[in-house]
Amino acid sequence: MKCNLCPRACNIDRTIQTGFCKTSENLKIARASLHHWEEPCISYKNGSGTIFFTGCSLGCVFCQNNEISHKNKGIEVSEEKLVQIFYSLKNQGAHNINLVTPSHFVKKLAPVLDKSPLPVVWNSSAFETVESLKLLENKVDIFLPDFKFSKNDVAKKYCNAENYPEIAKKAILEMFRQTGPYKINNGLMASGVIIRHLVLPQNLENTYSVIDWVASTFKKGDVLFSLMSQYTPYVDSPYPELNRTLTNKEYVLAKNYMIKKDLTDGFIQSLSSAKASFTPDFDLTGI
């Protein structure tokens, strides 16, 4: 069957060749472990049971998970093995099963998620079609999309996906339709949507536009918003502005704009989050 799961619409048979995501249709992962550095209501006390998938349908030039998103590091696992990993993470004390960059495996993952012993977190770039997301109906408890770009020219520049803003907005609205307003019980998120946004150096207008859309689209109590300062250059970029971390001034301006727009249900970070040490080793731990 030809694969058109993501907005790239490669229209190729992934059993015999690979498309933009660089993976076959078989599940491929690079790490499965407790993660303590997600938003507090996701990691909570014991950590989030995080599974990192290989490949990516978006392919940002600045990806901090470059080893797996661009270089395809990881090993293929069966659906049965993935369920075993779910239970292993549960036995380690995980509060949820957190699937990182899973979108290009959505067709394989959808039936497997019914076997998860814990709430499921869909941790994605938001570069997903509404049709593919509908495969997740009643299977995902928490959507954690990263709304990266609100400007078409910025999306074109950094990931060659000029249509990203329109695609991501539709995807996030579908995620919200599925979960409804967020619910947190005693500090642990039970269901809902957290919209993440990573502030990029010299790209404040992009950030302001993201904030404008979220603030004008959702009302208080609908979604949580996570404004991230952790941008860290991992590879030499052809774009000089991306070869440094954020300045304090840039992040303060972004925070102040968020507050001005009354988008205050959510999370901020300290600039100390911009460290390579916070990126896990993709060494097949837990597989």
Side-chain angles (χ1 to χ4, degrees):
M1 182 177 292
K2 299 295 180 67
C3 183
N4 291 296
L5 284 175
C6 86
R8 299 284 183 188
C10 295
N11 199 38
I12 52 94
D13 183 348
R14 285 168 65 189
T15 64
I16 58 176
Q17 66 183 117
T18 60
F20 187 91
C21 67
K22 301 184 179 70
T23 59
S24 75
E25 65 175 12
N26 297 324
L27 300 172
K28 190 172 184 179
I29 60 179
R31 184 181 178 90
S33 63
L34 295 180
H35 189 26
H36 299 277
W37 304 109
E38 301 285 39
E39 284 75 7
C41 60
I42 300 293
S43 289
Y44 198 51
K45 296 179 180 178
N46 300 334
S48 179
T50 307
I51 301 171
F52 289 88
F53 288 84
T54 299
C56 180
S57 57
L58 187 56
C60 300
V61 297
F62 53 80
C63 183
Q64 67 182 41
N65 295 341
N66 182 62
E67 275 191 294
I68 57 175
S69 62
H70 289 273
K71 296 183 179 178
N72 214 31
K73 187 174 182 179
I75 58 172
E76 291 188 355
V77 297
S78 66
E79 290 91 328
E80 293 75 18
K81 174 63 175 177
L82 187 63
V83 173
Q84 291 175 15
I85 292 171
F86 290 170
Y87 277 88
S88 174
L89 291 168
K90 179 186 177 184
N91 292 339
Q92 293 172 53
H95 298 292
N96 43 58
I97 298 298
N98 185 347
L99 310 176
V100 180
T101 320
S103 307
H104 48 299
F105 295 117
V106 63
K107 190 169 287 187
K108 284 270 188 175
L109 283 170
V112 179
L113 299 185
D114 291 327
K115 301 175 183 178
S116 174
L118 294 170
V120 173
V121 180
W122 191 261
N123 187 337
S124 75
S125 68
F127 192 57
E128 300 162 281
T129 66
V130 170
E131 291 73 24
S132 68
L133 286 168
K134 285 183 176 177
L135 298 174
L136 302 173
E137 187 92 41
N138 300 317
K139 298 173 184 289
V140 169
D141 302 275
I142 299 164
F143 285 99
L144 194 57
D146 187 356
F147 187 14
K148 295 175 181 289
F149 314 110
S150 57
K151 301 280 190 180
N152 298 87
D153 58 336
V154 180
K156 171 76 172 174
K157 181 179 181 180
Y158 293 147
C159 63
N160 197 27
E162 188 175 8
N163 60 346
Y164 175 90
E166 291 73 28
I167 294 290
K169 289 173 185 178
K170 290 177 182 177
I172 291 168
L173 288 171
E174 171 61 19
M175 294 172 185
F176 179 70
R177 184 196 67 78
Q178 290 190 26
T179 67
Y182 70 86
K183 296 178 182 176
I184 295 178
N185 299 325
N186 299 317
L188 178 62
M189 193 162 182
S191 63
V193 178
I194 302 178
I195 301 172
R196 285 174 161 172
H197 175 68
L198 178 64
V199 184
L200 296 173
Q202 290 185 215
N203 275 276
L204 282 176
E205 291 301 321
N206 179 62
T207 292
Y208 295 159
S209 186
V210 165
I211 291 170
D212 285 341
W213 182 79
V214 177
S216 64
T217 302
F218 299 100
K219 64 180 186 297
K220 284 281 189 182
D222 279 351
V223 300
L224 294 167
F225 185 71
S226 183
L227 186 71
M228 299 189 295
S229 64
Q230 68 187 46
Y231 175 76
T232 307
Y234 284 84
V235 293
D236 286 334
S237 168
Y239 306 107
E241 70 272 17
L242 297 182
N243 290 322
R244 64 166 175 84
T245 57
L246 284 181
T247 65
N248 183 65
K249 180 179 180 180
E250 285 173 319
Y251 193 58
V252 168
L253 286 170
K255 285 191 295 183
N256 288 346
Y257 193 82
M258 181 184 71
I259 293 167
K260 177 183 175 181
K261 293 293 180 174
D262 199 27
L263 193 59
T264 52
D265 285 358
F267 310 93
I268 57 174
Q269 289 183 318
S270 68
L271 287 178
S272 62
S273 300
K275 292 180 181 177
S277 59
F278 285 109
T279 299
D281 291 326
F282 300 115
D283 55 3
L284 310 184
T285 291
I287 305 172

